Amino acid sequence: MNVTIVDYKSGNISSVINSFEEVAKDKVNIEVTSDLNKIKSSDKVVLPGQGSFKSCVEALNNINGLTDILNEFAITNKKPLLGICVGLQMFADIGYEETETKGLGWIAGKVSKIDNQNGKFKLPHIGWNQINIVKDSKIFKEINNNSHMYFVHSYEFIPEDKNVISATTDYSSNIVCSVEKENIFGTQFHPEKSDTMGLKIIDNFINL
Amino acid sequence: MLKNRIIPCLDVKNGRVVKGINFVDLKDAGDPVEQAKIYSDGGADEICFLDITASNENRDTIYDVVKKTSKRCFVPLTVGGGVRSVEDINKLLNCGADKVSINTAAVENSKVVIDSSKKFGSQCIVVAIDAKKNGDKWEVFTHGGRNNSGIDALLYAEKMEKNGAGELLVTSMDRDGTQVGYDIELMSKISSRVNIPVIASGGVGNLDHLVDGIKLGKASAVLAASIFHYGKHSVKEAKDYLDSKGIPVRI
């Protein structure tokens, strides 16, 4: 099996690579590439994302044909795809970080700044927070409700259809921190930095 | 609920762990990769490496340490010390650091913080502030505490937030290595002024100091070195103690 981590120059992805290699050992081949043919023929795709919504969308668009291939992979062919952090946020129709920017439009909704309630909540939301699992998700197999995951973000994904939400976390409000829509999975937290529980989520995705 | 973080810090020199008493008189406390692994297995919420003599010595050893550590520890790794440029930050991130802390370069050239937070995102840019009390204010020191910039630390903290820092790592130069506790006044003043998380550092001698850093100093995270790596306390003991004092921690 091949799992491809999309390297679209969106910032630091070495931790994502390390964690997938740790879980995959020799059983699964982990590719790190922006090569369109390799992505197309891969069994699963991981879409990381660091920095702003705008910078990530721009970086995706900078690679000719990449969004088309991702659309084909996830929407037409319905193959498993995991978005992490801004990778998840880009599923939305639109993001409001820096300026209004169009997302991939895979899950209807928007990405807005977390309400800090006049400074009561510091932003970014950095650190370990508990996830409240609201629906069975294939990537949460053997993950206990209220497990701690590592977060670092200032913006939140607000999907229109609440049925896609698989977990929330409590920071200022109930922030959407995980989604599952058919073959599309996303985590706002960083499984690659969330110790053994995070590695288990990666393992679940690899073994889908 | 978001938990307060406990961050063991390993001072690294030439690829080996050391901890200075007021930045001099260094002792060797082992291999940083092994130490980091012990901490992450023990429940450390993040690991911090500070390359203390990086400004004037060969830096390649730290890249190797970061590379090895990031393949074995799956909690966030912050690396600082001798970071001069956007290129230095890029190199550390590529080796597997999740955040980079910038000290002297942030004082000398604010473009480093502005440019790097734009390029890599604020989430991986930590500005380290070494502050020392002078009369009724605190001044920012650079070059590992050797030079006084004369800049007011509170105003500087606000400026760094504006420039794009994702977090501030605030070290009291008066307290560092003394084990008498954090400079609570400094921590709480800076934390009240900015909307980004503050990590308290410098002066931890016992577990109550960690409690004070969070409760009184209003820090989001507490960093400590010697109380952990000379085996005085484990990270787990620290977390259990904080928990017993009603502080939310990841257990």
Side-chain angles (χ1 to χ4, degrees), chain A residues 12 14-15 18-19 21-22 50-51 116 119 122-130 148 150 152 170-171 192-195 199, chain B residues 1-3 5 40 45-46 70-71 73-76 93-94 96-99 120-121 123 166-167 191 194-197 250:
Chain A
N12 178 28
S14 48
S15 288
N18 285 337
S19 61
E21 284 178 347
E22 170 77 10
Q50 278 203 351
N116 76 348
K122 294 202 175 249
L123 291 180
H125 170 221
I126 298 186
W128 296 81
N129 207 333
Q130 285 166 297
H148 287 94
Y150 186 79
V152 47
D170 183 15
Y171 194 71
E192 78 278 14
K193 287 282 116 187
S194 296
D195 216 348
L199 295 182
Chain B
M1 171 178 222
L2 183 66
K3 303 302 160 74
R5 286 167 283 157
S40 77
D45 296 309
E46 293 185 31
S70 67
K71 287 189 194 309
C73 297
F74 298 95
V75 298
L93 293 175
N94 281 334
D98 298 291
K99 311 180 199 181
F120 309 112
Q123 84 288 338
E167 286 179 282
S191 190
V194 297
N195 285 310
I196 53 177
R250 174 179 70 114

Side-chain angles (χ1 to χ4, degrees), chain A residues 65 70 75 92 98 106 121 126-127 147-148 167 200-201:
Chain A
L70 291 173
I75 303 299
E98 293 183 57
W106 292 349
F121 289 87
I126 298 186
S147 290
H148 287 94
K200 180 63 193 161
I201 289 178

Side-chain angles (χ1 to χ4, degrees), chain A residues 55-66:
Chain A
S55 68
C56 284
V57 169
E58 280 174 358
L60 270 189
N61 291 335
N62 272 341
I63 298 172
N64 222 339
L66 181 56

Side-chain angles (χ1 to χ4, degrees), chain A:
Chain A
M1 187 174 59
N2 271 306
V3 176
T4 298
I5 298 168
V6 184
D7 180 11
Y8 60 103
K9 313 294 173 222
S10 73
N12 178 28
I13 60 168
S14 48
S15 288
V16 176
I17 300 167
N18 285 337
S19 61
F20 272 79
E21 284 178 347
E22 170 77 10
V23 173
K25 296 272 182 337
D26 303 326
K27 296 170 291 185
V28 178
N29 184 35
I30 306 292
E31 285 267 9
V32 182
T33 184
S34 61
D35 183 291
L36 303 184
N37 285 323
K38 282 189 177 158
I39 294 170
K40 198 175 171 176
S41 63
S42 152
D43 297 301
K44 286 171 186 139
V45 160
V46 181
L47 185 62
Q50 278 203 351
S52 73
F53 187 96
K54 178 172 171 275
S55 68
C56 284
V57 169
E58 280 174 358
L60 270 189
N61 291 335
N62 272 341
I63 298 172
N64 222 339
L66 181 56
T67 48
D68 291 339
I69 285 287
L70 291 173
N71 271 314
E72 186 186 313
F73 186 92
I75 303 299
T76 314
N77 297 336
K78 296 208 175 297
K79 285 159 93 174
L81 182 141
L82 174 68
I84 298 173
C85 198
V86 184
L88 152 81
Q89 294 180 359
M90 286 192 296
F91 296 169
D93 299 315
I94 197 157
Y96 294 100
E97 189 168 3
E98 293 183 57
T99 58
E100 198 175 299
T101 308
K102 241 180 115 202
L104 292 162
W106 292 349
I107 299 180
K110 60 178 182 177
V111 174
S112 312
K113 193 158 196 176
I114 297 168
D115 177 10
N116 76 348
Q117 301 184 22
N118 291 321
K120 197 175 153 209
F121 289 87
K122 294 202 175 249
L123 291 180
H125 170 221
I126 298 186
W128 296 81
N129 207 333
Q130 285 166 297
I131 61 166
N132 175 33
I133 298 175
V134 296
K135 81 165 181 187
D136 258 346
S137 174
K138 294 183 191 110
I139 59 170
F140 289 155
K141 203 177 130 200
E142 291 171 44
I143 300 290
N144 292 330
N145 195 23
N146 297 321
S147 290
H148 287 94
M149 298 293 166
Y150 186 79
F151 288 83
V152 47
H153 64 125
S154 300
Y155 285 75
E156 58 175 326
F157 177 36
I158 304 169
E160 282 172 17
D161 177 7
K162 305 298 174 204
N163 289 320
V164 301
I165 301 168
S166 52
T168 61
T169 193
D170 183 15
Y171 194 71
S172 172
S173 66
N174 282 324
I175 290 172
V176 173
C177 72
S178 180
V179 295
E180 176 178 337
K181 184 188 173 190
E182 300 174 58
N183 56 308
I184 300 171
F185 302 83
T187 62
Q188 178 61 66
F189 54 83
H190 290 268
E192 78 278 14
K193 287 282 116 187
S194 296
D195 216 348
T196 48
M197 282 294 121
L199 295 182
K200 180 63 193 161
I201 289 178
I202 290 169
D203 187 53
N204 287 338
F205 177 72
I206 287 178
N207 288 310
L208 275 179

